[in-house]
Amino acid sequence: MEQVNAVGRRKAAVARVFVSEGAGEITINKRALEVYFPSSILQFIVRQPLAKLEVVGKYNIKVNLKGGGYKGQAEALRLAIARALVKINPEDKPALRAEGFMTRDPRAVERKKPGRPKARKRFQFSKR
């Protein structure tokens, strides 16, 4: 199997993933997963598609991550990994879709409107 690549996005985060057969190492921006995401919850989010398909130790994953915060980055990476796994084996798609790993979450920050402090907040109204 040669290298398979995929892209995942969430909020402002973009994850470009390169998956190849190996010992199960996940490298994010030239750092180990445990170093880049010290939180065990975020590590769990990243590994969810691999755990669902029971292929945790089978693939080496190299990641370029940029933009957004750590939660958005972790979820973008989860989507990218799921997409790459489907490229490797299309029969896995229904299992990943059932867990919601194939769906791009479209929610993002609403833009600020002119004449207002934030997107929907208004300045205090004064009757007099």
Side-chain angles (χ1 to χ4, degrees):
M1 180 196 107
E2 73 287 339
Q3 203 173 51
V4 175
N5 59 334
V7 176
R9 293 184 184 89
R10 170 76 173 99
K11 294 186 173 182
V14 181
R16 295 201 329 267
V17 163
F18 304 93
V19 178
S20 56
E21 276 185 22
E25 292 151 23
I26 301 176
T27 311
I28 306 169
N29 294 350
K30 298 180 180 165
R31 289 188 281 178
L33 172 69
E34 291 74 21
V35 176
Y36 195 87
F37 290 127
S39 162
S40 58
I41 294 163
L42 296 177
Q43 291 174 28
F44 172 74
I45 287 172
V46 169
R47 289 195 182 109
Q48 274 180 311
L50 299 166
K52 176 68 180 164
L53 301 177
E54 296 166 6
V55 293
V56 174
K58 279 179 75 176
Y59 300 111
N60 283 348
I61 302 173
K62 199 168 140 284
V63 186
N64 290 340
L65 249 181
K66 65 177 186 224
Y70 49 84
K71 180 87 157 98
Q73 285 190 345
E75 292 181 6
L77 181 49
R78 180 176 70 184
L79 175 61
I81 291 170
R83 285 178 171 173
L85 291 172
V86 167
K87 277 187 182 179
I88 292 166
N89 185 4
E91 285 97 69
D92 293 335
K93 192 169 184 177
L96 292 172
R97 174 153 315 279
E99 295 289 323
F101 302 150
M102 294 302 296
T103 308
R104 157 71 158 103
D105 192 340
R107 294 176 296 172
V109 178
E110 193 173 331
R111 78 175 190 86
K112 185 196 172 298
K113 313 298 188 307
R116 301 221 186 131
K118 288 169 35 181
R120 299 193 177 196
K121 188 177 184 180
R122 285 152 166 87
F123 290 114
Q124 186 172 348
F125 176 74
S126 170
K127 196 177 261 187
R128 287 177 192 86

